[in-house]
Every structure is written in C-alpha cells, then in structure tokens.
C-alpha cells in the first residue's frame, strides 16, 4: 500500500531536549515536505526536499533541521525544542511527473513543555 | 505572494442539506487539489482538477474548476455526519515553482443531526 509513515504519532517532551520525527514514503517520490498546522494559521511549510541531498527552507524553518540522505526518508529534527513548537506536524511526498497530489502522513502531535 | 482564499471559514449544516465550499485565487491555478481532514488527523486526498470547466464527483462530493481556472467549488449533496471535518484546497503555482503547493486556510464543516 502506498503510504507516508510518520513516527511518533504523539510526543510530549520538555524544552531543550533534542527530538527527531521520522518520515518515510514507499512511492519513490522525489519531493518531500514538512508542514506544521496550528489553529487559525492553516498549513505552513517548514522545509522541503526536491531529491536526495537537496533541501530548502519553507515559510517557517527557524528552529528546525532536516536531512535527505535517502530518497524514502526525510526526518525532521528539533535540536532544542521550545514551547512555541508545540503543534501538529505533517510530512508529505509528491511525484514530480506533471501535476500530482501530495500524499500526507497521519501527523505527529508534538507538545513541548 | 499568491494566496488561496477559502470560504466560508466554518459551516454548520443540518444533516441531509447541501453545501458548497469555495476556493479562490487572484491568479491562474495550474492544478487544484481538495483534501479532507478529520480533526487532528491526516489529510485525505479527495480530488484533483486541472482543466478549466472540469468537474469531478466521488460519492456525494462534486468539485468544479471554473473556466478561468481561478476558482474551485466543492459541493456536498445530502450531507451526512461522515462529511464533518476540515476541507482544504491546495494549488500548484506557475511552472518553475519546485512543485510547491499553496494552501487555503481550510473550511471547518459541522453536520448537525
């Protein structure tokens, strides 16, 4: 089954404790992206990647890092999480042949205390 | 920057009634995508529209893209509790955009029994 898998689904942690949210897709998509979703602010893009070793900033990259060492994986790293990074996070992937929809993971609800 | 405006922001509809959600841009849309999100969960792809005047249906949901490709509507006929959730539209910006999508802020749909 074609899917984007995020882990963990839920995480409660404390300020300053480094964490990684993993994202993996099995559709051989070149494009992958991270979003955060906050009430009243909609989907905001954090980082995206056009292919292995190619990443670029989205609209709200501060406080986040990403890497794309393999095509299928695109982890999101919070080196020193802060309470304002409490949010619902989504990973998405997309094929690049013509116009295609993005496929989303189930989301990671992150609470930073 | 180009934006997608969704209306209404929220909608409360009596079960069995029809409803329409709109997604509007000031510029041409090259690919228009409708998604549904159950509260706090992942985004589920509903339909994609590309051509001016195009219309697609799935079960009781019909999506249309106007001839000028600047407005799309999502129409639900005989609404049911299962239709409740947040509906988002996303769109491709002009070519050369690195496959980025822009997003509407979402429409929250509540179905009253």
């Amino acid at each position: 089954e074609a899917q984007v898998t995020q882990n963990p689904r839920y995480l409660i942690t404390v300020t300053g404790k480094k964490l990684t949210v993993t994202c993996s897709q099995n559709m051989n998509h070149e494009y992958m992206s991270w979003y955060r979703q906050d009430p009243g602010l909609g989907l905001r893009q954090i980082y995206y990647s056009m292919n292995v070793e190619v990443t670029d900033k989205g609209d709200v990259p501060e406080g986040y890092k990403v890497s794309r060492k393999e095509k299928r994986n695109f982890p999101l790293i919070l080196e020193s999480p802060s309470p304002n990074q409490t949010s619902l996070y989504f990973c998405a992937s997309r094929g690049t042949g013509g116009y295609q929809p993005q496929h989303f993971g189930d989301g990671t609800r992150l609470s930073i205390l | 920057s180009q934006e997608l405006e969704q209306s209404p922001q929220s909608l409360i509809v009596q079960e069995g009634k029809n409803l329409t959600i709109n997604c509007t841009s000031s510029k041409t849309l090259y690919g228009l995508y409708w998604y549904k999100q159950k509260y706090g969960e992942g985004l589920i792809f509903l339909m994609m529209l590309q051509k001016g005047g195009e219309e697609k249906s799935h079960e009781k949901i019909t999506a249309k893209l106007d001839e000028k490709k600047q407005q799309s509507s999502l129409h639900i006929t005989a609404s049911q509790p299962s239709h409740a959730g947040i509906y988002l539209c996303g769109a491709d910006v002009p070519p050369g955009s690195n496959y980025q999508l822009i997003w509407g802020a979402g429409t929250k749909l509540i179905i009253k029994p």
Side-chain angles (χ1 to χ4, degrees):
Chain A
E1 181 190 349
Q3 58 187 5
V4 177
T5 305
Q6 288 178 236
N7 280 297
R9 291 291 315 279
Y10 305 92
L11 179 62
I12 301 173
T13 188
V14 295
T15 299
K17 187 175 180 182
K18 181 179 178 180
L19 68 93
T20 299
V21 185
T22 63
C23 174
S24 180
Q25 50 96 2
N26 63 0
M27 294 167 279
N28 202 36
H29 285 164
E30 293 84 4
Y31 177 96
M32 296 185 76
S33 179
W34 276 103
Y35 295 92
R36 58 180 290 175
Q37 186 181 41
D38 302 288
L41 296 176
L43 279 177
R44 294 182 294 167
Q45 190 180 50
I46 303 170
Y47 270 94
Y48 67 99
S49 170
M50 289 296 296
N51 215 324
V52 175
E53 303 292 359
V54 180
T55 62
D56 211 342
K57 295 177 181 178
D59 299 318
V60 288
E62 294 78 22
Y64 304 95
K65 283 175 59 176
V66 292
S67 68
R68 188 93 181 270
K69 296 188 173 119
E70 304 166 286
K71 197 172 187 180
R72 63 167 46 214
N73 296 323
F74 191 43
L76 179 70
I77 303 156
L78 284 73
E79 293 268 2
S80 184
S82 62
N84 64 12
Q85 292 176 300
T86 292
S87 186
L88 179 58
Y89 290 85
F90 289 106
C91 180
S93 73
R94 184 184 195 192
T96 53
Y99 296 113
Q100 299 184 35
Q102 286 192 8
H103 298 263
F104 285 83
D106 288 336
T108 295
R109 186 165 290 283
L110 197 53
S111 294
I112 315 292
L113 304 177
Chain B
S1 62
Q2 185 173 0
E3 294 180 344
L4 284 181
E5 293 208 11
Q6 266 187 258
S7 61
Q9 282 188 316
S10 63
L11 195 51
I12 302 174
V13 172
Q14 192 75 40
E15 184 177 351
K17 297 294 186 184
N18 303 338
L19 63 106
T20 299
I21 297 168
N22 294 302
C23 178
T24 304
S25 170
S26 59
K27 299 185 180 178
T28 302
L29 302 171
Y30 287 83
L32 191 288
Y33 310 89
W34 283 102
Y35 289 81
K36 179 188 173 186
Q37 181 184 20
K38 286 198 177 282
Y39 302 112
E41 297 184 11
L43 281 74
I44 299 166
F45 170 66
L46 295 175
M47 278 174 276
M48 170 185 168
L49 303 165
Q50 268 188 264
K51 300 174 186 173
E54 188 174 8
E55 181 175 319
K56 287 187 178 177
S57 294
H58 176 68
E59 297 179 346
K60 295 186 177 181
I61 300 177
T62 299
K64 301 178 186 178
L65 183 62
D66 74 340
E67 289 288 345
K68 289 173 65 177
K69 294 172 58 175
Q70 288 184 283
Q71 180 169 330
S72 178
S73 60
L74 188 82
H75 184 77
I76 298 177
T77 304
S79 57
Q80 301 169 346
S82 61
H83 289 129
I86 299 172
Y87 290 82
L88 290 100
C89 61
D92 281 290
V93 296
S97 62
N98 284 343
Y99 299 96
Q100 296 287 75
L101 295 185
I102 56 172
W103 296 93
T107 296
K108 184 176 179 180
L109 174 61
I110 297 170
I111 306 294
K112 279 173 47 177

Short mmCIF file of all heavy atoms in Angstrom, two decimals, chain A residues 35-76:
data_model
loop_
_atom_site.label_atom_id
_atom_site.label_comp_id
_atom_site.label_asym_id
_atom_site.label_seq_id
_atom_site.Cartn_x
_atom_site.Cartn_y
_atom_site.Cartn_z
N TYR A 35 5.25 20.14 7.13
CA TYR A 35 4.36 21.24 7.47
C TYR A 35 4.06 21.20 8.96
O TYR A 35 4.09 20.15 9.58
CB TYR A 35 3.02 21.09 6.75
CG TYR A 35 3.04 21.17 5.25
CD1 TYR A 35 3.18 20.02 4.48
CD2 TYR A 35 2.90 22.39 4.60
CE1 TYR A 35 3.17 20.09 3.10
CE2 TYR A 35 2.90 22.46 3.21
CZ TYR A 35 3.03 21.31 2.48
OH TYR A 35 3.02 21.37 1.11
N ARG A 36 3.70 22.36 9.46
CA ARG A 36 3.07 22.38 10.77
C ARG A 36 1.69 23.02 10.61
O ARG A 36 1.47 23.87 9.73
CB ARG A 36 3.89 23.15 11.81
CG ARG A 36 4.20 24.58 11.52
CD ARG A 36 5.02 25.22 12.65
NE ARG A 36 4.24 25.42 13.87
CZ ARG A 36 4.72 25.86 15.02
NH1 ARG A 36 6.01 26.15 15.13
NH2 ARG A 36 3.94 26.02 16.08
N GLN A 37 0.77 22.56 11.44
CA GLN A 37 -0.59 23.07 11.36
C GLN A 37 -1.01 23.58 12.73
O GLN A 37 -0.99 22.83 13.70
CB GLN A 37 -1.56 21.97 10.89
CG GLN A 37 -2.97 22.47 10.64
CD GLN A 37 -3.90 21.35 10.21
OE1 GLN A 37 -3.85 20.25 10.74
NE2 GLN A 37 -4.76 21.63 9.24
N ASP A 38 -1.37 24.84 12.78
CA ASP A 38 -1.79 25.47 14.03
C ASP A 38 -3.16 26.10 13.85
O ASP A 38 -3.46 26.61 12.76
CB ASP A 38 -0.77 26.53 14.46
CG ASP A 38 0.62 25.96 14.63
OD1 ASP A 38 0.81 25.23 15.62
OD2 ASP A 38 1.49 26.21 13.77
N PRO A 39 -3.99 26.10 14.89
CA PRO A 39 -5.34 26.67 14.76
C PRO A 39 -5.30 28.10 14.24
O PRO A 39 -4.56 28.94 14.74
CB PRO A 39 -5.85 26.62 16.20
CG PRO A 39 -5.09 25.51 16.85
CD PRO A 39 -3.73 25.54 16.22
N GLY A 40 -6.10 28.35 13.23
CA GLY A 40 -6.19 29.70 12.67
C GLY A 40 -5.07 30.07 11.71
O GLY A 40 -5.14 31.11 11.06
N LEU A 41 -4.03 29.23 11.62
CA LEU A 41 -2.89 29.56 10.75
C LEU A 41 -2.76 28.62 9.57
O LEU A 41 -1.91 28.82 8.70
CB LEU A 41 -1.59 29.55 11.57
CG LEU A 41 -1.50 30.59 12.68
CD1 LEU A 41 -0.22 30.42 13.48
CD2 LEU A 41 -1.58 32.01 12.10
N GLY A 42 -3.55 27.59 9.54
CA GLY A 42 -3.51 26.68 8.41
C GLY A 42 -2.22 25.88 8.34
O GLY A 42 -1.51 25.72 9.33
N LEU A 43 -1.93 25.38 7.16
CA LEU A 43 -0.70 24.62 6.92
C LEU A 43 0.43 25.57 6.58
O LEU A 43 0.32 26.38 5.67
CB LEU A 43 -0.89 23.68 5.73
CG LEU A 43 -1.60 22.36 5.93
CD1 LEU A 43 -1.73 21.64 4.59
CD2 LEU A 43 -0.86 21.48 6.91
N ARG A 44 1.53 25.45 7.30
CA ARG A 44 2.71 26.26 6.99
C ARG A 44 3.89 25.33 6.75
O ARG A 44 4.16 24.44 7.54
CB ARG A 44 3.00 27.24 8.13
CG ARG A 44 1.94 28.31 8.31
CD ARG A 44 2.31 29.28 9.43
NE ARG A 44 2.33 28.63 10.73
CZ ARG A 44 2.85 29.19 11.82
NH1 ARG A 44 3.43 30.37 11.76
NH2 ARG A 44 2.80 28.54 12.98
N GLN A 45 4.58 25.59 5.67
CA GLN A 45 5.67 24.71 5.29
C GLN A 45 6.94 25.03 6.07
O GLN A 45 7.32 26.20 6.20
CB GLN A 45 5.94 24.82 3.79
CG GLN A 45 6.89 23.77 3.26
CD GLN A 45 7.11 23.92 1.78
OE1 GLN A 45 7.40 25.00 1.29
NE2 GLN A 45 6.94 22.84 1.05
N ILE A 46 7.61 23.99 6.53
CA ILE A 46 8.84 24.17 7.31
C ILE A 46 10.06 24.02 6.40
O ILE A 46 10.88 24.93 6.30
CB ILE A 46 8.89 23.14 8.46
CG1 ILE A 46 7.65 23.25 9.34
CG2 ILE A 46 10.16 23.33 9.29
CD1 ILE A 46 7.51 22.12 10.34
N TYR A 47 10.20 22.86 5.79
CA TYR A 47 11.26 22.57 4.85
C TYR A 47 10.70 21.66 3.76
O TYR A 47 9.71 20.97 3.98
CB TYR A 47 12.43 21.83 5.54
CG TYR A 47 13.50 22.72 6.12
CD1 TYR A 47 13.45 23.09 7.46
CD2 TYR A 47 14.57 23.15 5.34
CE1 TYR A 47 14.43 23.89 8.01
CE2 TYR A 47 15.57 23.95 5.89
CZ TYR A 47 15.49 24.32 7.23
OH TYR A 47 16.47 25.11 7.77
N TYR A 48 11.39 21.65 2.64
CA TYR A 48 11.05 20.69 1.61
C TYR A 48 12.32 20.18 0.94
O TYR A 48 13.41 20.76 1.12
CB TYR A 48 10.07 21.27 0.59
CG TYR A 48 10.60 22.37 -0.28
CD1 TYR A 48 11.06 22.12 -1.56
CD2 TYR A 48 10.60 23.69 0.17
CE1 TYR A 48 11.53 23.14 -2.38
CE2 TYR A 48 11.07 24.72 -0.63
CZ TYR A 48 11.53 24.44 -1.91
OH TYR A 48 11.99 25.46 -2.70
N SER A 49 12.17 19.10 0.20
CA SER A 49 13.31 18.50 -0.47
C SER A 49 12.89 18.05 -1.86
O SER A 49 11.87 17.39 -2.02
CB SER A 49 13.81 17.30 0.33
OG SER A 49 14.76 16.55 -0.40
N MET A 50 13.69 18.43 -2.83
CA MET A 50 13.39 18.04 -4.20
C MET A 50 14.01 16.69 -4.55
O MET A 50 13.60 16.06 -5.53
CB MET A 50 13.92 19.10 -5.17
CG MET A 50 13.14 20.39 -5.13
SD MET A 50 11.45 20.13 -5.69
CE MET A 50 11.73 19.65 -7.39
N ASN A 51 15.01 16.27 -3.79
CA ASN A 51 15.63 14.97 -4.06
C ASN A 51 16.70 14.72 -2.99
O ASN A 51 16.91 15.57 -2.10
CB ASN A 51 16.23 14.91 -5.46
CG ASN A 51 16.11 13.53 -6.09
OD1 ASN A 51 16.22 12.51 -5.39
ND2 ASN A 51 15.86 13.49 -7.37
N VAL A 52 17.38 13.61 -3.10
CA VAL A 52 18.42 13.28 -2.12
C VAL A 52 19.46 14.40 -2.07
O VAL A 52 19.88 14.91 -3.11
CB VAL A 52 19.08 11.94 -2.51
CG1 VAL A 52 20.25 11.64 -1.58
CG2 VAL A 52 18.07 10.81 -2.47
N GLU A 53 19.79 14.80 -0.86
CA GLU A 53 20.78 15.84 -0.59
C GLU A 53 20.38 17.23 -1.08
O GLU A 53 21.21 18.13 -1.13
CB GLU A 53 22.16 15.46 -1.19
CG GLU A 53 22.73 14.14 -0.71
CD GLU A 53 23.14 14.14 0.76
OE1 GLU A 53 23.00 15.18 1.45
OE2 GLU A 53 23.56 13.08 1.26
N VAL A 54 19.10 17.41 -1.43
CA VAL A 54 18.62 18.73 -1.86
C VAL A 54 17.47 19.14 -0.94
O VAL A 54 16.38 18.56 -1.01
CB VAL A 54 18.13 18.69 -3.33
CG1 VAL A 54 17.64 20.08 -3.75
CG2 VAL A 54 19.22 18.20 -4.26
N THR A 55 17.73 20.12 -0.09
CA THR A 55 16.68 20.59 0.82
C THR A 55 16.61 22.11 0.75
O THR A 55 17.60 22.77 0.40
CB THR A 55 16.93 20.17 2.28
OG1 THR A 55 18.15 20.75 2.74
CG2 THR A 55 17.01 18.66 2.41
N ASP A 56 15.45 22.65 1.09
CA ASP A 56 15.29 24.10 1.04
C ASP A 56 14.29 24.54 2.10
O ASP A 56 13.42 23.75 2.51
CB ASP A 56 14.82 24.55 -0.33
CG ASP A 56 15.34 25.93 -0.69
OD1 ASP A 56 15.77 26.67 0.23
OD2 ASP A 56 15.31 26.28 -1.88
N LYS A 57 14.44 25.78 2.52
CA LYS A 57 13.57 26.31 3.56
C LYS A 57 12.18 26.62 3.02
O LYS A 57 12.02 27.07 1.88
CB LYS A 57 14.17 27.61 4.13
CG LYS A 57 15.48 27.41 4.85
CD LYS A 57 16.04 28.75 5.32
CE LYS A 57 17.38 28.55 6.01
NZ LYS A 57 17.97 29.83 6.44
N GLY A 58 11.20 26.38 3.89
CA GLY A 58 9.85 26.80 3.59
C GLY A 58 9.57 28.14 4.24
O GLY A 58 10.47 28.99 4.36
N ASP A 59 8.37 28.30 4.73
CA ASP A 59 7.97 29.59 5.29
C ASP A 59 8.37 29.77 6.75
O ASP A 59 8.57 30.90 7.21
CB ASP A 59 6.44 29.74 5.20
CG ASP A 59 5.96 29.71 3.77
OD1 ASP A 59 6.61 30.34 2.92
OD2 ASP A 59 4.94 29.03 3.48
N VAL A 60 8.50 28.67 7.50
CA VAL A 60 8.78 28.78 8.93
C VAL A 60 9.88 27.81 9.34
O VAL A 60 9.68 26.90 10.14
CB VAL A 60 7.50 28.53 9.77
CG1 VAL A 60 6.54 29.70 9.65
CG2 VAL A 60 6.81 27.23 9.37
N PRO A 61 11.13 27.97 8.83
CA PRO A 61 12.19 26.99 9.10
C PRO A 61 12.92 27.17 10.43
O PRO A 61 13.66 26.26 10.84
CB PRO A 61 13.16 27.26 7.94
CG PRO A 61 12.99 28.72 7.67
CD PRO A 61 11.53 29.03 7.92
N GLU A 62 12.73 28.30 11.10
CA GLU A 62 13.53 28.58 12.29
C GLU A 62 13.28 27.53 13.37
O GLU A 62 12.14 27.25 13.73
CB GLU A 62 13.20 29.98 12.84
CG GLU A 62 13.58 31.13 11.92
CD GLU A 62 12.61 31.32 10.78
OE1 GLU A 62 11.43 30.85 10.91
OE2 GLU A 62 12.99 31.89 9.76
N GLY A 63 14.38 27.00 13.90
CA GLY A 63 14.28 26.02 14.98
C GLY A 63 14.19 24.58 14.51
O GLY A 63 14.10 23.67 15.33
N TYR A 64 14.23 24.37 13.21
CA TYR A 64 14.11 23.02 12.65
C TYR A 64 15.30 22.71 11.75
O TYR A 64 15.90 23.61 11.18
CB TYR A 64 12.83 22.89 11.82
CG TYR A 64 11.57 23.22 12.56
CD1 TYR A 64 11.02 24.50 12.48
CD2 TYR A 64 10.91 22.25 13.31
CE1 TYR A 64 9.85 24.81 13.14
CE2 TYR A 64 9.73 22.56 13.98
CZ TYR A 64 9.22 23.85 13.90
OH TYR A 64 8.05 24.15 14.55
N LYS A 65 15.60 21.43 11.64
CA LYS A 65 16.56 20.95 10.66
C LYS A 65 15.97 19.74 9.97
O LYS A 65 15.12 19.04 10.53
CB LYS A 65 17.87 20.53 11.36
CG LYS A 65 18.76 21.68 11.76
CD LYS A 65 19.97 21.19 12.55
CE LYS A 65 20.81 20.22 11.78
NZ LYS A 65 22.04 19.82 12.53
N VAL A 66 16.45 19.48 8.77
CA VAL A 66 16.03 18.29 8.04
C VAL A 66 17.26 17.69 7.37
O VAL A 66 18.30 18.34 7.26
CB VAL A 66 14.96 18.59 6.97
CG1 VAL A 66 13.64 18.99 7.60
CG2 VAL A 66 15.46 19.63 5.98
N SER A 67 17.11 16.46 6.92
CA SER A 67 18.15 15.85 6.09
C SER A 67 17.46 14.93 5.10
O SER A 67 16.35 14.43 5.35
CB SER A 67 19.16 15.08 6.94
OG SER A 67 18.56 13.94 7.52
N ARG A 68 18.12 14.71 3.97
CA ARG A 68 17.57 13.78 2.97
C ARG A 68 18.74 12.96 2.43
O ARG A 68 19.31 13.23 1.38
CB ARG A 68 16.89 14.57 1.84
CG ARG A 68 16.14 13.67 0.87
CD ARG A 68 14.71 13.50 1.20
NE ARG A 68 14.00 12.63 0.31
CZ ARG A 68 13.38 13.04 -0.82
NH1 ARG A 68 13.41 14.33 -1.17
NH2 ARG A 68 12.72 12.19 -1.55
N LYS A 69 19.08 11.95 3.18
CA LYS A 69 20.22 11.09 2.81
C LYS A 69 19.75 9.93 1.92
O LYS A 69 20.55 9.35 1.16
CB LYS A 69 20.90 10.54 4.04
CG LYS A 69 21.53 11.64 4.89
CD LYS A 69 22.38 11.08 6.01
CE LYS A 69 23.09 12.23 6.69
NZ LYS A 69 22.76 12.36 8.08
N GLU A 70 18.51 9.56 2.05
CA GLU A 70 17.93 8.52 1.20
C GLU A 70 16.64 9.08 0.62
O GLU A 70 15.99 9.93 1.23
CB GLU A 70 17.59 7.28 2.02
CG GLU A 70 18.73 6.68 2.79
CD GLU A 70 18.20 5.69 3.81
OE1 GLU A 70 17.63 6.13 4.83
OE2 GLU A 70 18.32 4.47 3.58
N LYS A 71 16.24 8.56 -0.51
CA LYS A 71 15.06 9.08 -1.18
C LYS A 71 13.81 8.89 -0.35
O LYS A 71 12.92 9.73 -0.35
CB LYS A 71 14.90 8.39 -2.54
CG LYS A 71 13.99 9.12 -3.50
CD LYS A 71 14.05 8.46 -4.86
CE LYS A 71 13.29 9.25 -5.90
NZ LYS A 71 13.35 8.63 -7.22
N ARG A 72 13.70 7.79 0.35
CA ARG A 72 12.47 7.48 1.04
C ARG A 72 12.31 8.19 2.39
O ARG A 72 11.21 8.31 2.90
CB ARG A 72 12.36 5.97 1.28
CG ARG A 72 13.44 5.39 2.17
CD ARG A 72 13.13 3.98 2.62
NE ARG A 72 12.67 3.15 1.53
CZ ARG A 72 11.78 2.19 1.69
NH1 ARG A 72 11.24 1.96 2.86
NH2 ARG A 72 11.41 1.46 0.67
N ASN A 73 13.39 8.67 2.98
CA ASN A 73 13.33 9.20 4.33
C ASN A 73 13.60 10.70 4.40
O ASN A 73 14.50 11.20 3.71
CB ASN A 73 14.33 8.49 5.24
CG ASN A 73 14.01 7.03 5.41
OD1 ASN A 73 12.84 6.65 5.48
ND2 ASN A 73 15.03 6.19 5.48
N PHE A 74 12.86 11.39 5.24
CA PHE A 74 13.01 12.83 5.38
C PHE A 74 12.72 13.21 6.84
O PHE A 74 11.64 13.69 7.16
CB PHE A 74 12.04 13.52 4.42
CG PHE A 74 12.25 15.01 4.26
CD1 PHE A 74 13.52 15.54 4.12
CD2 PHE A 74 11.16 15.87 4.20
CE1 PHE A 74 13.72 16.91 3.95
CE2 PHE A 74 11.34 17.24 4.03
CZ PHE A 74 12.62 17.75 3.90
N PRO A 75 13.67 12.99 7.73
CA PRO A 75 13.41 13.27 9.15
C PRO A 75 13.41 14.75 9.48
O PRO A 75 14.14 15.54 8.85
CB PRO A 75 14.58 12.55 9.86
CG PRO A 75 15.66 12.50 8.82
CD PRO A 75 14.98 12.38 7.50
N LEU A 76 12.61 15.12 10.44
CA LEU A 76 12.55 16.49 10.95
C LEU A 76 13.20 16.50 12.33
O LEU A 76 12.82 15.72 13.20
CB LEU A 76 11.09 16.94 11.06
CG LEU A 76 10.86 18.36 11.61
CD1 LEU A 76 11.32 19.40 10.59
CD2 LEU A 76 9.38 18.56 11.93
#
